[in-house]
């Protein structure tokens, strides 16, 4: 109930008014039946802009940290995300991937639309990173099509670390559904899962026209943070060696 209140009354109209997103290829999203919408992930705003423009409800897998904040603020945040169609997934530990797959298959088993970001986390620099194979596992196990989606302009509107979005043109572009029924029953074949995931990521890349990096986003983000920390430490050491005037 609150999902539709957000979509049509409280949040959706505001997002459409402020960002005026241009929608392309909406006809590729089926009006009924289970399907996966797989998109690039550039901004916190992605969670709300895509549901705002779709004609049917979509449920996203979201990191559990959005649901576990302390105090009243944390509880209100968790309620908001659940009401907005988000399902918490713990991304830590060895079973994180399996937990996400179970939750996703639960959504698809109800004939609903599942939203997923194959990169696993937001891009920290606006580039498109290597996809994780969970999306392929779900597509094969559920026997559903995958609709590629490109969010364009949301990184500029609200890059990681920015709380209040700036006004910037946004395009949400959906591609033709990808059918992987030819691989039915092969969800345990690693090479097949990798090939399917790469095909999905290539479709997203074609729509978004981003630069592609053949590396997982989380690893790239960690390496970048380590480099920045190293440069900062080097700068501090040099500053300490400078003669005082």
């Amino acid at each position: 109930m609150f999902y539709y209140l957000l979509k049509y009354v409280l949040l959706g109209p505001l997002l459409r008014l402020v960002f005026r997103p241009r929608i392309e290829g909406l006809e590729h999203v089926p009006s009924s039946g289970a399907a996966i919408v797989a998109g690039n992930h550039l901004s916190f705003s992605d969670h709300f802009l895509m549901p705002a423009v779709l004609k049917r409800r979509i449920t996203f897998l979201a990191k559990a940290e959005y649901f576990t904040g302390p105090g009243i603020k944390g509880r209100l945040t968790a309620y908001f995300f659940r009401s907005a169609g988000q399902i918490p997934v713990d991304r830590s530990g060895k079973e994180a991937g399996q937990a996400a797959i179970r939750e996703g298959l639960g959504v698809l088993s109800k004939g609903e639309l599942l939203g997923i970001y194959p990169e696993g986390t937001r891009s920290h620099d606006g580039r498109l990173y290597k996809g994780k194979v969970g999306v392929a596992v779900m597509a094969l196990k559920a026997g559903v099509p995958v609709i590629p989606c490109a969010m364009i302009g949301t990184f500029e509107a609200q890059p990681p670390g920015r709380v209040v979005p700036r006004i910037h043109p946004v395009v949400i572009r959906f591609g033709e559904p990808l059918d992987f029924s030819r691989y039915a029953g092969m969800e345990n074949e690693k090479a097949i899962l990798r090939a399917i995931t790469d095909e999905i990521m290539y479709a997203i890349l074609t729509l978004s026209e981003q630069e592609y990096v053949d590396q997982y986003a989380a690893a790239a983000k960690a390496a970048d943070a380590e480099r920045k920390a190293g440069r900062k430490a080097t700068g501090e050491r040099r500053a300490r060696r400078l003669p005082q005037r």
Side-chain angles (χ1 to χ4, degrees), residues 23-36:
I23 316 304
E24 300 177 4
L26 191 58
E27 69 275 7
H28 296 311
V29 181
S31 58
S32 62
I36 297 171

Side-chain angles (χ1 to χ4, degrees), residues 43 98 102 155 167 170 217 220:
S43 169
Q98 292 302 315
R102 284 195 300 270
F155 183 84
I167 305 302
V170 169

Side-chain angles (χ1 to χ4, degrees), residues 132-143:
K132 296 186 176 182
V133 300
V135 61
V137 174
M138 285 186 277
L140 292 187
K141 284 192 172 184

